Amino acid sequence: MKYLVTGGAGFIGSNLVDALMEEGHEVIAFDNLSSGEESYVAHHMGNDRFKLIKGDLMDPPSIEEATKGIEFVFHLAANPDVRHGIERTRIDLEQGTIATHNLLEAMRKNGVKKIGFSSSSTVYGEATELPTPETYGPMLPISLYGASKLACEGMISSYCHSFNMQAWMYRFANVIGHRGTHGVLVDFIEKLRNDPTNMEILGDGKQKKSYFLVQDCVAGLIMGTKKSNEQVNMFNLACEEWTDVTEVADIVTQEMNLENVEYHYTGGTRGWVGDIPRTWLSIDKARAMGWGPSHSSEEAVRLAVRDLLKSR
Ligand code: NAD
């Protein structure tokens, strides 16, 4: 099969490229390298089944050209950081919603019928039902990032129904691990490398999230497309437990062999405006198709920290 992966030089995207290449497919990674890195896909260069296109979804002609002859698009390119939306209030509109529209138009014009999309638990906002199932509503995001993801879901669904396309959409919890580019683990490691005695922790440290490894995420992305065949397929991908931020900080300090690090909490129940203090997704639907995370949330954090310490 011939795949295009937008954001294919990013954290999750490059791991997905590896898995698709491993399965023997032809793969084009389309990436503007704003947060991704060419080195993440460098090991595929020279393989005639792989191509990296340095292109931007905000440039319609380049994505129109890239989607010619493609059978399946995995759309992962976006602003990946919820916090950016506070200072730059157009970033999620542009890099999320408009970029997705540009991609869908390119697909429509070129007759590409299948899309996989990386959505997020942030679409649920502060859900009152925990664990939160895919059917939860009303969905009222509290960040511009979450709003953009929800808008993208709506637009993808409407393209499916208007132009006879098919979609697999995945709402991820916190994905961590090999080639991680951002997020709490990367932040803590960088802070402790700068100062191994003190660390600032955003919020009160009690925010609870579910963490799962990128290889499990990629397995879920691919499995969903093989095991479900509705016009619009929707899955939560997450871990069933959660880990609080202070526990994450403890694991990072242990793995860095640091003792007596003083934690300084910035206070409040959220790490930043738009942060959701408790996220817990139901994964019953993904489990029913045979998917599940390979490690608990805490184990996943430890393994990801070890990997990041080696590779960053
Ligand atoms: P990432 O920043 O590593 O990947 C995003 C990639 O998209 C980068 O390589 C970047 O260069 C590229 N990109 C951004 N804007 C682009 C544009 N206009 N044109 C072309 N390329 C562009 O982040 P990631 O964590 O791998 O995230 C991948 C996707 O998964 C994103 O859509 C993100 O919102 C979603 N997601 C991630 C998590 C997580 O925990 N990492 C959770 C939920 C959803």
Side-chain angles (χ1 to χ4, degrees):
M1 184 114 115
K2 195 160 180 186
Y3 285 90
L4 181 104
V5 181
T6 74
F11 162 44
I12 304 172
S14 64
N15 282 283
L16 176 61
V17 166
D18 287 351
L20 294 172
M21 289 296 289
E22 182 72 29
E23 287 193 352
H25 300 291
E26 283 178 62
V27 183
I28 295 177
F30 182 94
D31 203 300
N32 68 0
L33 303 178
S34 54
S35 54
E37 308 222 2
E38 200 166 343
S39 63
Y40 288 175
V41 290
H43 50 292
H44 297 302
M45 301 296 189
N47 186 327
D48 58 11
R49 286 191 288 112
F50 177 77
K51 188 156 106 184
L52 169 65
I53 296 179
K54 293 176 202 168
D56 198 311
L57 284 171
M58 296 306 283
D59 174 35
S62 67
I63 188 60
E64 255 177 67
E65 188 56 34
T67 42
K68 282 186 182 147
I70 295 294
E71 290 163 281
F72 195 112
V73 175
F74 272 112
H75 176 37
L76 275 70
N79 157 44
D81 196 326
V82 180
R83 289 175 290 183
H84 289 160
I86 301 299
E87 273 103 45
R88 299 163 63 193
T89 54
R90 285 188 68 85
I91 191 168
D92 295 299
L93 173 69
E94 287 170 357
Q95 301 301 320
T97 315
I98 295 173
T100 298
H101 181 258
N102 290 345
L103 171 66
L104 288 165
E105 270 300 280
M107 290 176 65
R108 182 183 68 79
K109 287 180 186 164
N110 287 317
V112 185
K113 295 290 184 191
K114 296 182 182 200
I115 181 167
F117 176 59
S118 55
S119 188
S120 153
S121 60
T122 56
V123 294
Y124 295 119
E126 291 189 277
T128 49
E129 186 180 350
L130 296 175
T132 312
E134 290 84 350
T135 49
Y136 177 83
M139 288 155 81
L140 299 169
I142 63 164
S143 61
L144 297 180
Y145 172 93
S148 169
K149 289 290 185 196
L150 188 55
C152 292
E153 287 187 6
M155 203 155 38
I156 291 170
S157 168
S158 54
Y159 264 74
C160 285
H161 290 280
S162 305
F163 306 111
N164 193 28
M165 288 163 65
Q166 197 177 8
W168 289 262
M169 300 199 256
Y170 303 90
R171 296 172 181 155
F172 306 155
N174 290 274
V175 187
I176 53 173
H178 191 50
R179 306 190 191 122
T181 50
H182 57 95
V184 65
L185 304 190
V186 173
D187 280 359
F188 282 174
I189 290 171
E190 279 172 8
K191 281 179 180 172
L192 287 168
R193 280 184 173 153
N194 286 335
D195 180 354
T197 54
N198 289 287
M199 185 165 69
E200 181 191 67
I201 295 181
L202 303 178
D204 60 7
K206 295 189 178 133
Q207 307 95 299
K208 289 180 188 294
K209 320 258 166 146
S210 140
Y211 298 90
F212 72 118
L213 292 173
V214 67
Q215 54 265 38
D216 292 335
C217 176
V218 163
L221 287 174
I222 294 175
M223 189 181 283
T225 65
K226 292 180 179 166
K227 296 276 178 77
S228 62
N229 201 22
E230 303 295 321
Q231 187 156 27
V232 176
N233 305 274
M234 181 68 77
F235 291 101
N236 287 337
L237 295 181
C239 203
E240 273 149 333
E241 312 83 26
W242 51 21
T243 313
D244 76 34
V245 176
T246 300
E247 285 163 351
V248 172
D250 290 344
I251 293 171
V252 177
T253 53
Q254 284 159 18
E255 292 299 324
M256 291 178 81
N257 298 316
L258 299 172
E259 280 171 17
N260 306 320
V261 177
E262 265 188 51
Y263 297 159
H264 304 277
Y265 296 97
T266 59
T269 54
R270 298 172 204 277
W272 52 88
V273 176
D275 184 26
I276 300 169
R278 276 177 175 57
T279 314
W280 185 18
L281 303 182
S282 163
I283 54 168
D284 290 352
K285 200 174 164 199
R287 277 216 182 277
M289 73 169 171
W291 180 85
S294 58
H295 294 84
S296 69
S297 180
E298 194 187 321
E299 286 164 357
V301 171
R302 196 170 291 282
L303 290 171
V305 170
R306 283 183 192 160
D307 183 285
L308 290 170
L309 287 172
K310 255 192 276 159
S311 57
R312 284 182 76 87

